[in-house]
Amino acid sequence: MDVDIGNALASVASPGVSRDSLERLDEQVAVAHERIERGMANGEHGYEALNLPERTDPDEIRTAVEPVADVETLLTVGIGGSSLGAATITNALESGTEAIYLDNVDPEWVSRQLERVSFENAAINVVSRSGTTAETLANFLVVREAFESAGVDWTERTIVTTGESGPLRDLADRHDLPSLTVPDGVPGRFSALSAVGMVAAAVCGHDLEALLAGAAAEADTLSGSLFDCPAYAYGTTTYALDGRGAGVNAVMPYAESLETSAEWFAQLWAESLGKDDLGQTPVRALGVTDQHSQLQLYRAGPRDKLVTFVTPRDGGDRPIPDTGVEELAYLGDSTLGTLLEAEFEATEASLAAAGRPNVRVEIEQVDEYELGGLLYGMEAACVLAGELYGVNTFEQPAVEWAKKATRGLLGGGEFAEAEAVAEKTELRIER
């Protein structure tokens, strides 16, 4: 990926970061890079994620999915990092296999998803490192029952990706299910380039080697200077702008196929950097749709936002038919691709003209190679930002608190967190 931070400089934006400030920060980047390199070399928790391009085995993944490689529908059961990376890849790329992600336990929504599945032509991909994630196990049990009700043997259609031990590992061993292991030292939100994210890609027929090659190429750009490394330039700029008041980061892909990447980014950024009263708040948007619903706020609202555009240089195209209406003749001489590009450039220029900081993240096109680079680049940017903030990028205590409270409320053990739920303050206004 390439990054253009010109519209975030203090000379054109407020808040903005000056070139002198970036030069000073670059000294911290050099120190942070040394720490990151050391963590990668030692296989330390979290840093190990940046080693995935060379350590993920695509042949192992393809072998595991071979029994279900010809299905029409893949139901991935997981939540958060166990689904968003996979969804980012498969939602971005064309495939003859429909990928459905059960990452919510809303009963009406789950029922609607299952109602449209032909189970004799479907498979299950269940993902949970611990094998104890309540939402994942609940949905898996529901899906398993749906297969049984349709007279389909779920044991012939299930792939498991989990840790070395736990309920899902026991299940896989008991039924001799194809299984893969969540890599040690890799938090879920950093696991897109492992079996966690790539099983679905494999079933959907995507090029796993190209995904890893794109990520490896991005890894080769990591260096001791933000001026030589797009990922570090992005991570440093976001950190600097946050410190100057831009505490909201609105990520706006200008390609429908990249919409899920903004959801994936939101988890990566929020869960990794939201510690010790620090961290930007990620906001998901989509160009051009949300320039008509949100741009007013970004351009004329509080100066507390950075807008991150993510755009491919080369996308598909389709001519716009001539309307025969003189006032609309300019459209008939154009294409949807040209219109999309004009919308993007106009939005970017609109923010710049108002002195609102924005950053452009570019990839060549939406394919496996470029997606691998984008995923890896944003992960590296997040790790670098975490080093600059001085937080533990790879833990998520607030998330674990809520998990314990949920288990306690369901009778899954004695947890003080569950007891705290009863202490909720109420001020009800009822009809």
Side-chain angles (χ1 to χ4, degrees):
M1 70 181 193
D2 294 331
V3 173
D4 181 356
I5 61 174
N7 283 344
L9 296 177
S11 57
V12 296
S14 176
V17 56
S18 69
R19 179 66 186 244
D20 287 344
S21 294
L22 289 173
E23 295 280 2
R24 290 191 295 272
L25 279 170
D26 206 32
E27 298 175 8
Q28 297 180 45
V29 170
V31 174
H33 176 62
E34 290 180 2
R35 175 68 187 96
I36 293 169
E37 281 194 317
R38 187 165 65 252
M40 292 172 63
N42 295 334
E44 295 181 39
H45 179 75
Y47 301 98
E48 178 69 4
L50 299 180
N51 291 324
L52 287 177
E54 61 184 40
R55 298 193 179 177
T56 298
D57 184 352
D59 290 331
E60 180 185 32
I61 295 171
R62 274 193 294 266
T63 298
V65 308
E66 189 173 353
V68 298
D70 61 347
V71 297
E72 295 176 0
T73 304
L74 179 67
L75 289 156
T76 293
V77 183
I79 196 165
S82 295
S83 66
L84 282 173
T88 293
I89 297 168
T90 62
N91 289 351
L93 303 169
E94 294 292 330
S95 172
T97 302
E98 182 183 17
I100 297 175
Y101 292 88
L102 296 179
D103 57 357
N104 199 323
V105 292
D106 180 330
E108 293 187 2
W109 178 82
V110 170
S111 297
R112 286 198 300 271
Q113 300 308 305
L114 295 180
E115 284 169 1
R116 60 192 184 92
V117 174
S118 172
F119 293 100
E120 62 270 18
N121 295 310
I124 308 168
N125 170 34
V126 57
V127 187
S128 171
R129 177 194 296 277
S130 67
T132 62
T133 305
E135 301 90 344
T136 299
L137 290 181
N139 273 339
F140 174 61
L141 293 172
V142 169
V143 172
R144 191 173 74 174
E145 182 182 60
F147 270 76
E148 291 173 343
S149 297
V152 178
D153 185 353
W154 65 270
T155 66
E156 298 294 325
R157 302 294 184 87
T158 299
I159 305 164
V160 174
T161 302
T162 189
E164 296 284 357
S165 62
L168 278 181
R169 177 58 60 192
D170 294 342
L171 180 81
D173 292 343
R174 184 164 64 251
H175 294 282
D176 195 27
L177 305 177
S179 62
L180 293 157
T181 302
V182 178
D184 288 337
V186 179
R189 59 191 176 278
F190 288 90
S191 64
L193 296 166
S194 73
V196 173
M198 295 177 68
V199 164
V203 174
C204 291
H206 301 311
D207 189 338
L208 306 188
E209 279 83 3
L211 277 163
L212 295 172
E218 201 67 37
D220 287 342
T221 69
L222 301 186
S223 69
S225 173
L226 70 94
F227 297 106
D228 298 323
C229 174
Y232 286 176
Y234 183 72
T236 305
T237 302
T238 57
Y239 164 77
L241 289 173
D242 184 22
R244 289 158 173 77
V248 176
N249 187 349
V251 178
M252 184 180 287
Y254 263 77
E256 189 83 24
S257 59
L258 294 176
E259 181 177 14
T260 309
S261 71
E263 297 183 36
W264 170 83
F265 176 89
Q267 183 194 7
L268 179 74
W269 220 244
E271 200 165 83
S272 299
L273 304 178
K275 318 277 170 63
D276 302 332
D277 298 326
L278 299 170
Q280 280 184 320
T281 299
V283 173
R284 297 170 288 177
L286 177 67
V288 298
T289 302
D290 287 319
Q291 75 186 54
H292 289 275
S293 65
Q294 299 176 24
L295 181 59
Q296 177 66 37
L297 175 68
Y298 300 158
R299 191 179 194 273
R303 291 183 177 271
D304 59 353
K305 300 169 192 67
L306 160 68
V307 177
T308 297
F309 296 111
V310 183
T311 180
R313 295 190 184 98
D314 183 19
D317 211 349
R318 188 183 184 99
I320 301 172
D322 189 355
T323 64
V325 178
E326 183 176 352
E327 291 87 347
L328 301 177
Y330 70 97
L331 289 176
D333 293 330
S334 189
T335 67
L336 289 179
T338 302
L339 177 59
L340 178 66
E341 183 178 0
E343 296 264 20
F344 162 61
E345 291 184 350
T347 302
E348 183 184 50
S350 170
L351 292 172
R356 306 302 175 116
N358 59 91
V359 171
R360 180 191 294 205
V361 176
E362 290 183 322
I363 59 176
E364 286 296 330
Q365 57 202 8
V366 180
D367 62 14
E368 288 93 338
Y369 184 89
E370 294 294 321
L371 276 174
L374 179 64
L375 289 166
Y376 189 95
M378 286 304 194
E379 289 179 4
C382 184
V383 174
L384 185 279
E387 298 294 330
L388 296 178
Y389 279 113
V391 299
N392 185 332
T393 309
F394 309 113
E395 65 175 2
Q396 51 281 332
V399 177
E400 299 304 323
W401 194 101
K403 286 182 179 179
K404 292 177 181 177
T406 300
R407 288 192 65 183
L409 290 172
L410 292 173
E414 297 292 331
F415 296 96
E417 291 84 355
E419 296 174 6
V421 175
E423 300 172 3
K424 176 188 178 297
T425 300
E426 292 188 356
L427 177 57
R428 292 182 177 270
I429 292 82
E430 299 179 348
R431 59 178 181 168

